[in-house]
Amino acid sequence: MSGTTTEANAFDRSPAGNARLRGPVMCVVGARPNFMKMAPILRALAAHQPPLPALLVHTGQHYDQGMSHQLFEDLGLQRPDLDLEVGSASHAVQTADVMRRFEPALDAHLPACVLVVGDVNSTLACTLVAVKKGVPVVHVEAGLRSYDRKMPEEINRVLTDQIADRLYTTERSALANLLREGVAAERVVFAGNVMIDSLVAHRPNARPAADTLRAHGVDPAWLDAAKGYGVVTLHRPSNVDDAAALRSLLNVLREVASSLPLVFALHPRTRNNIERFGLSSLIDPRRMALLPPQGYLEMLGLMRDATLVLTDSGGLQEETTALGVPCLTLRENTERPITAEQGTNTLVGRDPQAILAGVAEILGGAGKRGRVPEFWDGRAADRIAADLWQWLGPGAP
Ligand code: UD1
């Protein structure tokens, strides 16, 4: 048995339990959207009085310069203390690899708790390992539900929330979702949106869109002076892994681009599939600039300066709401309903007519203005650190 932490748990006031309470908060990141959520949390743990020691584990789910390293730099994230280097694979293999490699790390470091963010495979994998070893798990961004079980992220969310010990939510509707699934209200704390903490901190340093385009060999004069440009991101398996769905979306984007130039930041999954399905000819290079995955400051600048954003990303739905930029979400559902109810987001799905109508509305000046939701104020991570300190108990850590 390699499990040195099996017997202890954070509520255990025995000597073994107290030893655990003095361990670090073991913070897990794996994929791109995790990094902007974790950066403010690590800062808040360090700034808390007294400081809460933390250890950063990168599972290596994302590993490219563009998908990982550049974001660490942009966000001022410390180098990971541990890199599990799992890389890409099927869901089963990737999840299993994270679990196998995370277990000895957990045994070696006796953390006070494991802190996971979001809904990626690494989130669930590390949660499962920790919970079965009796190590408390804290989930940041809990309770979001698309109610679409075909999304891998939805499975990760539901399962993580069922077994994690402390759940921090970004919007009040998340509590109702959790209660519906039988989660006890005492486990849930409304803390706000840590992704927006990063946005608030870095907005002043966002790179102007014209600079980013120039850096990729695109003449900024290319942007239609009257209407500006639109930003596009697509990477959901339901949109890009199916040839017919991707073809249909690229056709609509082509039509949108005839009235508004588009800047398309391509996820590797999407780039591979456009090539694999032979769809490259649907991209009109005169009206659509294809860029590789962007750094955080570049993406922030591209969104901030845009006329509209077309996306299937969860993070961009939130960021456009915080920036006040109209967003059309190319999905049938969202796990972030507040962005549509209060923010600038409109769900248009994949129906070409609905997408074109949404674009026409925004270009006609009738796009949603929205407001910034409660606790999307740049202080969510501070609220989490303060609560965590209380929750871990007087001996912590
Ligand atoms: C993952 C998350 C998704 C998140 C997205 C953000 C899950 C289930 N999905 O999806 O919720 O919105 O990250 O990007 O965890 N690849 C590279 N370089 C990398 C990483 C991936 O080229 O650094 C390529 C590989 O071909 C890989 C593919 O992208 O097979 C998909 O990567 P994967 O991590 O499996 O899922 P994402 O689609 O990125």
PDB file of all heavy atoms in Angstrom, residues 346-375:
ATOM      1  N   THR A 346     -26.012  35.571 -26.550  1.00  0.00           N
ATOM      2  CA  THR A 346     -27.241  35.042 -27.146  1.00  0.00           C
ATOM      3  C   THR A 346     -26.929  33.651 -27.693  1.00  0.00           C
ATOM      4  O   THR A 346     -25.951  33.485 -28.424  1.00  0.00           O
ATOM      5  CB  THR A 346     -27.719  35.935 -28.321  1.00  0.00           C
ATOM      6  OG1 THR A 346     -27.826  37.281 -27.850  1.00  0.00           O
ATOM      7  CG2 THR A 346     -29.069  35.483 -28.850  1.00  0.00           C
ATOM      8  N   LEU A 347     -27.778  32.690 -27.315  1.00  0.00           N
ATOM      9  CA  LEU A 347     -27.593  31.329 -27.846  1.00  0.00           C
ATOM     10  C   LEU A 347     -28.228  31.265 -29.213  1.00  0.00           C
ATOM     11  O   LEU A 347     -29.436  31.470 -29.345  1.00  0.00           O
ATOM     12  CB  LEU A 347     -28.312  30.322 -26.948  1.00  0.00           C
ATOM     13  CG  LEU A 347     -27.669  29.928 -25.629  1.00  0.00           C
ATOM     14  CD1 LEU A 347     -28.530  28.870 -24.942  1.00  0.00           C
ATOM     15  CD2 LEU A 347     -26.270  29.398 -25.842  1.00  0.00           C
ATOM     16  N   VAL A 348     -27.428  30.973 -30.237  1.00  0.00           N
ATOM     17  CA  VAL A 348     -28.014  30.879 -31.581  1.00  0.00           C
ATOM     18  C   VAL A 348     -27.943  29.467 -32.138  1.00  0.00           C
ATOM     19  O   VAL A 348     -28.461  29.199 -33.224  1.00  0.00           O
ATOM     20  CB  VAL A 348     -27.347  31.868 -32.577  1.00  0.00           C
ATOM     21  CG1 VAL A 348     -27.816  33.282 -32.308  1.00  0.00           C
ATOM     22  CG2 VAL A 348     -25.836  31.776 -32.532  1.00  0.00           C
ATOM     23  N   GLY A 349     -27.261  28.562 -31.434  1.00  0.00           N
ATOM     24  CA  GLY A 349     -27.177  27.186 -31.906  1.00  0.00           C
ATOM     25  C   GLY A 349     -26.378  27.080 -33.182  1.00  0.00           C
ATOM     26  O   GLY A 349     -25.494  27.909 -33.442  1.00  0.00           O
ATOM     27  N   ARG A 350     -26.725  26.084 -34.006  1.00  0.00           N
ATOM     28  CA  ARG A 350     -25.975  25.876 -35.253  1.00  0.00           C
ATOM     29  C   ARG A 350     -26.812  26.184 -36.488  1.00  0.00           C
ATOM     30  O   ARG A 350     -26.375  25.984 -37.607  1.00  0.00           O
ATOM     31  CB  ARG A 350     -25.513  24.414 -35.310  1.00  0.00           C
ATOM     32  CG  ARG A 350     -24.270  24.155 -34.530  1.00  0.00           C
ATOM     33  CD  ARG A 350     -23.562  22.941 -35.082  1.00  0.00           C
ATOM     34  NE  ARG A 350     -24.420  21.780 -35.098  1.00  0.00           N
ATOM     35  CZ  ARG A 350     -24.234  20.702 -34.317  1.00  0.00           C
ATOM     36  NH1 ARG A 350     -23.228  20.671 -33.485  1.00  0.00           N
ATOM     37  NH2 ARG A 350     -25.029  19.676 -34.388  1.00  0.00           N
ATOM     38  N   ASP A 351     -28.015  26.657 -36.255  1.00  0.00           N
ATOM     39  CA  ASP A 351     -28.908  26.945 -37.377  1.00  0.00           C
ATOM     40  C   ASP A 351     -28.395  28.176 -38.144  1.00  0.00           C
ATOM     41  O   ASP A 351     -28.304  29.272 -37.571  1.00  0.00           O
ATOM     42  CB  ASP A 351     -30.320  27.196 -36.831  1.00  0.00           C
ATOM     43  CG  ASP A 351     -31.241  27.699 -37.929  1.00  0.00           C
ATOM     44  OD1 ASP A 351     -31.088  27.252 -39.078  1.00  0.00           O
ATOM     45  OD2 ASP A 351     -32.096  28.562 -37.633  1.00  0.00           O
ATOM     46  N   PRO A 352     -28.066  27.997 -39.438  1.00  0.00           N
ATOM     47  CA  PRO A 352     -27.472  29.103 -40.202  1.00  0.00           C
ATOM     48  C   PRO A 352     -28.317  30.378 -40.150  1.00  0.00           C
ATOM     49  O   PRO A 352     -27.777  31.481 -40.002  1.00  0.00           O
ATOM     50  CB  PRO A 352     -27.392  28.552 -41.628  1.00  0.00           C
ATOM     51  CG  PRO A 352     -27.335  27.065 -41.458  1.00  0.00           C
ATOM     52  CD  PRO A 352     -28.136  26.750 -40.225  1.00  0.00           C
ATOM     53  N   GLN A 353     -29.654  30.218 -40.259  1.00  0.00           N
ATOM     54  CA  GLN A 353     -30.499  31.421 -40.282  1.00  0.00           C
ATOM     55  C   GLN A 353     -30.434  32.171 -38.953  1.00  0.00           C
ATOM     56  O   GLN A 353     -30.381  33.407 -38.908  1.00  0.00           O
ATOM     57  CB  GLN A 353     -31.963  31.050 -40.611  1.00  0.00           C
ATOM     58  CG  GLN A 353     -32.172  30.553 -42.031  1.00  0.00           C
ATOM     59  CD  GLN A 353     -31.362  31.359 -43.050  1.00  0.00           C
ATOM     60  OE1 GLN A 353     -31.335  32.596 -43.012  1.00  0.00           O
ATOM     61  NE2 GLN A 353     -30.675  30.659 -43.947  1.00  0.00           N
ATOM     62  N   ALA A 354     -30.432  31.409 -37.856  1.00  0.00           N
ATOM     63  CA  ALA A 354     -30.378  32.049 -36.533  1.00  0.00           C
ATOM     64  C   ALA A 354     -29.040  32.765 -36.340  1.00  0.00           C
ATOM     65  O   ALA A 354     -28.979  33.876 -35.784  1.00  0.00           O
ATOM     66  CB  ALA A 354     -30.579  30.996 -35.442  1.00  0.00           C
ATOM     67  N   ILE A 355     -27.979  32.157 -36.843  1.00  0.00           N
ATOM     68  CA  ILE A 355     -26.648  32.782 -36.701  1.00  0.00           C
ATOM     69  C   ILE A 355     -26.604  34.082 -37.510  1.00  0.00           C
ATOM     70  O   ILE A 355     -26.193  35.132 -37.016  1.00  0.00           O
ATOM     71  CB  ILE A 355     -25.538  31.797 -37.171  1.00  0.00           C
ATOM     72  CG1 ILE A 355     -25.511  30.558 -36.262  1.00  0.00           C
ATOM     73  CG2 ILE A 355     -24.175  32.489 -37.172  1.00  0.00           C
ATOM     74  CD1 ILE A 355     -24.654  29.402 -36.776  1.00  0.00           C
ATOM     75  N   LEU A 356     -27.071  34.006 -38.751  1.00  0.00           N
ATOM     76  CA  LEU A 356     -27.024  35.204 -39.605  1.00  0.00           C
ATOM     77  C   LEU A 356     -27.923  36.310 -39.052  1.00  0.00           C
ATOM     78  O   LEU A 356     -27.570  37.496 -39.078  1.00  0.00           O
ATOM     79  CB  LEU A 356     -27.441  34.836 -41.043  1.00  0.00           C
ATOM     80  CG  LEU A 356     -26.441  33.909 -41.763  1.00  0.00           C
ATOM     81  CD1 LEU A 356     -27.016  33.416 -43.088  1.00  0.00           C
ATOM     82  CD2 LEU A 356     -25.100  34.607 -41.972  1.00  0.00           C
ATOM     83  N   ALA A 357     -29.085  35.900 -38.503  1.00  0.00           N
ATOM     84  CA  ALA A 357     -29.990  36.910 -37.926  1.00  0.00           C
ATOM     85  C   ALA A 357     -29.335  37.574 -36.707  1.00  0.00           C
ATOM     86  O   ALA A 357     -29.434  38.796 -36.510  1.00  0.00           O
ATOM     87  CB  ALA A 357     -31.316  36.252 -37.522  1.00  0.00           C
ATOM     88  N   GLY A 358     -28.647  36.760 -35.901  1.00  0.00           N
ATOM     89  CA  GLY A 358     -27.960  37.308 -34.720  1.00  0.00           C
ATOM     90  C   GLY A 358     -26.894  38.308 -35.120  1.00  0.00           C
ATOM     91  O   GLY A 358     -26.763  39.398 -34.519  1.00  0.00           O
ATOM     92  N   VAL A 359     -26.132  37.966 -36.156  1.00  0.00           N
ATOM     93  CA  VAL A 359     -25.074  38.872 -36.611  1.00  0.00           C
ATOM     94  C   VAL A 359     -25.701  40.164 -37.141  1.00  0.00           C
ATOM     95  O   VAL A 359     -25.254  41.281 -36.818  1.00  0.00           O
ATOM     96  CB  VAL A 359     -24.212  38.194 -37.716  1.00  0.00           C
ATOM     97  CG1 VAL A 359     -23.284  39.210 -38.355  1.00  0.00           C
ATOM     98  CG2 VAL A 359     -23.424  37.027 -37.121  1.00  0.00           C
ATOM     99  N   ALA A 360     -26.766  40.020 -37.949  1.00  0.00           N
ATOM    100  CA  ALA A 360     -27.400  41.206 -38.547  1.00  0.00           C
ATOM    101  C   ALA A 360     -27.909  42.138 -37.443  1.00  0.00           C
ATOM    102  O   ALA A 360     -27.796  43.373 -37.542  1.00  0.00           O
ATOM    103  CB  ALA A 360     -28.545  40.773 -39.455  1.00  0.00           C
ATOM    104  N   GLU A 361     -28.461  41.553 -36.401  1.00  0.00           N
ATOM    105  CA  GLU A 361     -28.999  42.356 -35.296  1.00  0.00           C
ATOM    106  C   GLU A 361     -27.890  43.184 -34.644  1.00  0.00           C
ATOM    107  O   GLU A 361     -28.055  44.380 -34.390  1.00  0.00           O
ATOM    108  CB  GLU A 361     -29.618  41.399 -34.273  1.00  0.00           C
ATOM    109  CG  GLU A 361     -30.615  42.041 -33.345  1.00  0.00           C
ATOM    110  CD  GLU A 361     -31.340  40.954 -32.547  1.00  0.00           C
ATOM    111  OE1 GLU A 361     -32.153  40.239 -33.152  1.00  0.00           O
ATOM    112  OE2 GLU A 361     -31.053  40.822 -31.352  1.00  0.00           O
ATOM    113  N   ILE A 362     -26.771  42.516 -34.404  1.00  0.00           N
ATOM    114  CA  ILE A 362     -25.658  43.228 -33.739  1.00  0.00           C
ATOM    115  C   ILE A 362     -25.110  44.315 -34.665  1.00  0.00           C
ATOM    116  O   ILE A 362     -24.884  45.458 -34.247  1.00  0.00           O
ATOM    117  CB  ILE A 362     -24.549  42.233 -33.332  1.00  0.00           C
ATOM    118  CG1 ILE A 362     -25.078  41.288 -32.240  1.00  0.00           C
ATOM    119  CG2 ILE A 362     -23.313  42.975 -32.825  1.00  0.00           C
ATOM    120  CD1 ILE A 362     -24.211  40.076 -31.970  1.00  0.00           C
ATOM    121  N   LEU A 363     -24.923  43.980 -35.944  1.00  0.00           N
ATOM    122  CA  LEU A 363     -24.381  44.984 -36.873  1.00  0.00           C
ATOM    123  C   LEU A 363     -25.365  46.140 -37.061  1.00  0.00           C
ATOM    124  O   LEU A 363     -24.969  47.260 -37.355  1.00  0.00           O
ATOM    125  CB  LEU A 363     -24.043  44.344 -38.235  1.00  0.00           C
ATOM    126  CG  LEU A 363     -22.924  43.300 -38.211  1.00  0.00           C
ATOM    127  CD1 LEU A 363     -22.598  42.815 -39.613  1.00  0.00           C
ATOM    128  CD2 LEU A 363     -21.668  43.846 -37.541  1.00  0.00           C
ATOM    129  N   GLY A 364     -26.634  45.838 -36.842  1.00  0.00           N
ATOM    130  CA  GLY A 364     -27.647  46.903 -36.938  1.00  0.00           C
ATOM    131  C   GLY A 364     -27.737  47.730 -35.651  1.00  0.00           C
ATOM    132  O   GLY A 364     -28.604  48.589 -35.517  1.00  0.00           O
ATOM    133  N   GLY A 365     -26.902  47.433 -34.703  1.00  0.00           N
ATOM    134  CA  GLY A 365     -26.850  48.245 -33.467  1.00  0.00           C
ATOM    135  C   GLY A 365     -27.762  47.747 -32.372  1.00  0.00           C
ATOM    136  O   GLY A 365     -27.917  48.403 -31.344  1.00  0.00           O
ATOM    137  N   ALA A 366     -28.387  46.554 -32.569  1.00  0.00           N
ATOM    138  CA  ALA A 366     -29.341  46.074 -31.561  1.00  0.00           C
ATOM    139  C   ALA A 366     -28.765  44.934 -30.710  1.00  0.00           C
ATOM    140  O   ALA A 366     -29.516  44.160 -30.125  1.00  0.00           O
ATOM    141  CB  ALA A 366     -30.626  45.630 -32.253  1.00  0.00           C
ATOM    142  N   GLY A 367     -27.438  44.833 -30.647  1.00  0.00           N
ATOM    143  CA  GLY A 367     -26.824  43.780 -29.819  1.00  0.00           C
ATOM    144  C   GLY A 367     -27.070  44.037 -28.340  1.00  0.00           C
ATOM    145  O   GLY A 367     -27.335  45.171 -27.930  1.00  0.00           O
ATOM    146  N   LYS A 368     -27.011  42.944 -27.551  1.00  0.00           N
ATOM    147  CA  LYS A 368     -27.242  43.090 -26.107  1.00  0.00           C
ATOM    148  C   LYS A 368     -26.143  43.941 -25.469  1.00  0.00           C
ATOM    149  O   LYS A 368     -24.972  43.764 -25.773  1.00  0.00           O
ATOM    150  CB  LYS A 368     -27.190  41.711 -25.454  1.00  0.00           C
ATOM    151  CG  LYS A 368     -28.423  40.876 -25.604  1.00  0.00           C
ATOM    152  CD  LYS A 368     -28.273  39.644 -24.717  1.00  0.00           C
ATOM    153  CE  LYS A 368     -29.438  38.695 -24.908  1.00  0.00           C
ATOM    154  NZ  LYS A 368     -29.247  37.460 -24.141  1.00  0.00           N
ATOM    155  N   ARG A 369     -26.535  44.812 -24.571  1.00  0.00           N
ATOM    156  CA  ARG A 369     -25.521  45.578 -23.836  1.00  0.00           C
ATOM    157  C   ARG A 369     -25.138  44.846 -22.554  1.00  0.00           C
ATOM    158  O   ARG A 369     -23.984  44.729 -22.204  1.00  0.00           O
ATOM    159  CB  ARG A 369     -26.027  46.980 -23.512  1.00  0.00           C
ATOM    160  CG  ARG A 369     -26.309  47.760 -24.768  1.00  0.00           C
ATOM    161  CD  ARG A 369     -26.369  49.255 -24.536  1.00  0.00           C
ATOM    162  NE  ARG A 369     -26.918  49.908 -25.710  1.00  0.00           N
ATOM    163  CZ  ARG A 369     -26.244  50.062 -26.842  1.00  0.00           C
ATOM    164  NH1 ARG A 369     -25.014  49.624 -26.958  1.00  0.00           N
ATOM    165  NH2 ARG A 369     -26.815  50.656 -27.872  1.00  0.00           N
ATOM    166  N   GLY A 370     -26.152  44.350 -21.866  1.00  0.00           N
ATOM    167  CA  GLY A 370     -25.891  43.509 -20.699  1.00  0.00           C
ATOM    168  C   GLY A 370     -25.325  44.265 -19.514  1.00  0.00           C
ATOM    169  O   GLY A 370     -25.058  45.468 -19.575  1.00  0.00           O
ATOM    170  N   ARG A 371     -25.191  43.518 -18.395  1.00  0.00           N
ATOM    171  CA  ARG A 371     -24.521  44.078 -17.220  1.00  0.00           C
ATOM    172  C   ARG A 371     -23.655  42.993 -16.610  1.00  0.00           C
ATOM    173  O   ARG A 371     -23.829  41.805 -16.882  1.00  0.00           O
ATOM    174  CB  ARG A 371     -25.535  44.595 -16.216  1.00  0.00           C
ATOM    175  CG  ARG A 371     -26.451  43.540 -15.637  1.00  0.00           C
ATOM    176  CD  ARG A 371     -27.485  44.233 -14.744  1.00  0.00           C
ATOM    177  NE  ARG A 371     -28.674  43.427 -14.562  1.00  0.00           N
ATOM    178  CZ  ARG A 371     -28.857  42.571 -13.559  1.00  0.00           C
ATOM    179  NH1 ARG A 371     -27.916  42.402 -12.655  1.00  0.00           N
ATOM    180  NH2 ARG A 371     -29.975  41.877 -13.456  1.00  0.00           N
ATOM    181  N   VAL A 372     -22.716  43.411 -15.797  1.00  0.00           N
ATOM    182  CA  VAL A 372     -21.783  42.448 -15.213  1.00  0.00           C
ATOM    183  C   VAL A 372     -22.445  41.808 -13.997  1.00  0.00           C
ATOM    184  O   VAL A 372     -22.927  42.504 -13.097  1.00  0.00           O
ATOM    185  CB  VAL A 372     -20.468  43.151 -14.814  1.00  0.00           C
ATOM    186  CG1 VAL A 372     -19.506  42.148 -14.175  1.00  0.00           C
ATOM    187  CG2 VAL A 372     -19.825  43.790 -16.048  1.00  0.00           C
ATOM    188  N   PRO A 373     -22.509  40.464 -13.961  1.00  0.00           N
ATOM    189  CA  PRO A 373     -23.218  39.788 -12.867  1.00  0.00           C
ATOM    190  C   PRO A 373     -22.557  39.994 -11.496  1.00  0.00           C
ATOM    191  O   PRO A 373     -21.382  40.362 -11.393  1.00  0.00           O
ATOM    192  CB  PRO A 373     -23.147  38.305 -13.283  1.00  0.00           C
ATOM    193  CG  PRO A 373     -22.915  38.311 -14.752  1.00  0.00           C
ATOM    194  CD  PRO A 373     -22.088  39.524 -15.024  1.00  0.00           C
ATOM    195  N   GLU A 374     -23.379  39.703 -10.493  1.00  0.00           N
ATOM    196  CA  GLU A 374     -22.951  39.824  -9.095  1.00  0.00           C
ATOM    197  C   GLU A 374     -21.687  39.004  -8.810  1.00  0.00           C
ATOM    198  O   GLU A 374     -21.590  37.834  -9.236  1.00  0.00           O
ATOM    199  CB  GLU A 374     -24.105  39.276  -8.228  1.00  0.00           C
ATOM    200  CG  GLU A 374     -23.907  39.410  -6.751  1.00  0.00           C
ATOM    201  CD  GLU A 374     -25.060  38.733  -5.974  1.00  0.00           C
ATOM    202  OE1 GLU A 374     -25.916  38.073  -6.591  1.00  0.00           O
ATOM    203  OE2 GLU A 374     -25.064  38.873  -4.746  1.00  0.00           O
ATOM    204  N   PHE A 375     -20.749  39.606  -8.128  1.00  0.00           N
ATOM    205  CA  PHE A 375     -19.497  38.942  -7.708  1.00  0.00           C
ATOM    206  C   PHE A 375     -18.578  38.591  -8.888  1.00  0.00           C
ATOM    207  O   PHE A 375     -17.684  37.786  -8.743  1.00  0.00           O
ATOM    208  CB  PHE A 375     -19.769  37.675  -6.887  1.00  0.00           C
ATOM    209  CG  PHE A 375     -20.098  37.946  -5.428  1.00  0.00           C
ATOM    210  CD1 PHE A 375     -20.219  39.231  -4.938  1.00  0.00           C
ATOM    211  CD2 PHE A 375     -20.280  36.898  -4.543  1.00  0.00           C
ATOM    212  CE1 PHE A 375     -20.526  39.483  -3.603  1.00  0.00           C
ATOM    213  CE2 PHE A 375     -20.579  37.120  -3.208  1.00  0.00           C
ATOM    214  CZ  PHE A 375     -20.710  38.418  -2.735  1.00  0.00           C
TER     215      PHE A 375
END
